Amino acid sequence: MKFLKKNKTLVISLSAVILGVGLGFIFLNLSNTIQGKTLNIINPIQNVFINIICYLALPLMFICLSTSIYNMGNIKTFGKTGARTILQYLLIMFVLALCAGTISSLIFGLKFGDQSSELSSALSLLQNFRPKDIWTPFIQRNVLQVNLFAIIFGVVLMIIGQPAKWFVDMLVKINKFIIKIFSYLGKLVPVYILISMIKIVLIQDSNTVKNLWKLIGVFLLMIVTLVGVYFVRTLVVSKGKNKKALLKALPPFIIAISSANSTLSLNTNLDISKNVLNERDEYVDFAIPLSMMLFKPAGVMYLAVVAPYFAMLNGISISFTWLVSLVLISTILNIAIPPVNGGGINNYSILLSELSLPLSPLPLLIVLDSVMEFVITGFNVYGQTLETYCIAKTSKNTKI
């Protein structure tokens, strides 16, 4: 009973999958006319649900990103060290996304398309950053342009400083209202999963389900590689003196991976960083909360594996520009999207649509996310603890 109460969302999602598959096979044995009518009912419901999520997500992303930048005002306290911490978090996120996207593309056997069009594709990507006006990016759901606006807006607010606080507080209230709507929509996710599974059975899209082990396997390979990299990094930055850094960083990781909640591990993370890894208190108080917003290594790698996997299933050729788009979008989504019900749907729907991939796998990704979020959250926190330690060591923000 404790397991059922603790993992209520997971149990309901899996139940919706089983029921959806069962109903799908029942409909499959009925006439083609009934099957057609069923699909005609399911398709508009799916489209409306996803469109609501996507349109709500863009202002949510905009407010989260711009207010987060404003809240970085205390970077002035740390000067170059603060700027270096932020840049290093972001740079490593980009590198992880690029490595995960490239390696998974090779493993999945993706082919590069006609390279003669690469220049025009690159120019198109650059043009995609330049919006015509303020409203068009939101209407057209252009993630890159919306986030460019958010960054510029956040920097302006940060420069204004204290006089802008009343406006930021108003944005935070709007944000809470949108999150509340998301929480209500999150309650409808099992219904969305149910009808989507019926549709998958009716259109007999078994190939997507059958090959999910490849997606999970490649992602876990990325995780093992990440841990190996941090083992080497911690040895290098500590000059071989802290061979047990990976073991010392385990307590917050265990809390996060068992609860799928990074906030619950925050106090333990702060305590371990200060008293076990011996980082300076004032630096830890700045860097760890910042890493929770900016640095999500497992999350960015997961998205960077998801896109090539579905490109493989749909026989889509990729290009260097496609990979760059994947890196940018994966990183932005992990920074801008808060951990709310429905956030996962938004991440996947934006990722797939921005990379010209079909949205049909969404229900499976949502179900898989309810399981994978434990692994993703755990290794996000593990990476945050270890990366902050590495930066502290190289910037001389340790006690010894």
Side-chain angles (χ1 to χ4, degrees), residues 11 14 20 30 37 68 124 138 180-181 262 270 289 315 346 370 395:
V11 173
L14 293 177
L30 300 177
K37 287 181 178 179
S68 295
S124 175
F138 290 93
K180 197 168 186 179
I181 297 174
S262 58
L270 292 170
N346 173 74
S370 63
S395 62

Side-chain angles (χ1 to χ4, degrees), residues 237-366:
V237 298
S238 67
K239 297 179 181 178
K241 296 178 181 178
N242 198 351
K243 296 178 182 178
K244 295 183 178 180
L246 266 67
L247 292 175
K248 292 176 180 178
L250 281 177
F253 163 76
I254 291 169
I255 294 171
I257 200 169
S258 60
S259 65
N261 190 321
S262 58
T263 306
L264 290 178
S265 66
L266 177 58
N267 287 336
T268 305
N269 205 347
L270 292 170
D271 179 58
I272 292 295
S273 297
K274 292 175 183 178
N275 302 318
V276 179
L277 294 173
N278 294 307
E279 299 162 45
R280 288 182 180 172
D281 292 6
E282 63 273 16
Y283 179 74
V284 171
D285 289 335
F286 165 73
I288 291 294
L290 182 69
S291 72
M292 290 176 66
M293 180 188 74
L294 289 183
F295 192 65
K296 299 164 188 170
V300 78
M301 289 195 300
Y302 185 61
L303 289 184
V305 172
V306 163
Y309 169 74
F310 286 107
M312 172 198 71
L313 288 184
N314 291 280
I316 296 173
S317 297
I318 64 169
S319 64
F320 175 73
T321 307
W322 190 90
L323 280 174
V324 172
S325 298
L326 171 62
V327 171
L328 289 173
I329 294 166
S330 299
T331 305
I332 288 169
L333 287 176
N334 272 279
I335 293 171
I337 299 296
V340 297
N341 289 333
I345 304 172
N346 173 74
N347 269 9
Y348 303 130
S349 60
I350 288 178
L351 179 74
L352 297 176
S353 59
E354 287 290 315
L355 295 172
S356 303
L357 296 169
L359 295 177
S360 54
L362 269 179
L364 286 175
L365 282 172
I366 296 165

Side-chain angles (χ1 to χ4, degrees), residues 96-254:
L96 289 174
L98 180 60
C99 291
T102 304
I103 293 169
S104 59
S105 296
L106 294 172
I107 292 174
F108 294 140
L110 294 184
K111 295 180 180 178
F112 277 75
D114 183 10
Q115 298 304 303
S116 60
S117 62
E118 189 66 35
L119 180 59
S120 61
S121 298
L123 291 173
S124 175
L125 180 63
L126 289 174
Q127 288 173 352
N128 203 33
F129 275 104
R130 189 181 62 189
K132 294 178 182 177
D133 51 56
I134 295 176
W135 310 111
T136 302
F138 290 93
I139 295 169
Q140 296 181 348
R141 294 190 303 195
N142 190 310
V143 179
L144 296 178
Q145 291 179 3
V146 168
N147 281 282
L148 177 63
F149 268 132
I151 292 167
I152 295 170
F153 191 63
V155 170
V156 171
L157 290 174
M158 186 170 67
I159 291 170
I160 295 172
Q162 188 62 29
K165 192 176 186 307
W166 69 270
F167 184 72
V168 173
D169 290 340
M170 183 183 71
L171 289 178
V172 170
K173 288 179 181 177
I174 295 171
N175 206 41
K176 287 180 179 178
F177 176 71
I178 298 173
I179 288 175
K180 197 168 186 179
I181 297 174
F182 259 100
S183 67
Y184 288 125
L185 288 172
K187 294 176 182 178
L188 296 175
V189 168
V191 178
Y192 177 82
I193 293 172
L194 174 69
I195 62 173
S196 298
M197 293 310 296
I198 293 172
K199 181 180 176 180
I200 287 172
V201 174
L202 286 177
I203 63 176
Q204 299 183 36
D205 187 17
S206 60
N207 191 42
T208 303
V209 181
K210 203 165 53 177
N211 290 297
L212 271 179
W213 67 269
K214 294 180 182 177
L215 169 62
I216 297 169
V218 172
F219 173 62
L220 292 178
L221 175 64
M222 297 296 115
I223 290 294
V224 171
T225 305
L226 179 69
V227 174
V229 168
Y230 272 113
F231 176 71
V232 175
R233 272 199 83 198
T234 51
L235 281 178
V236 172
V237 298
S238 67
K239 297 179 181 178
K241 296 178 181 178
N242 198 351
K243 296 178 182 178
K244 295 183 178 180
L246 266 67
L247 292 175
K248 292 176 180 178
L250 281 177
F253 163 76
I254 291 169

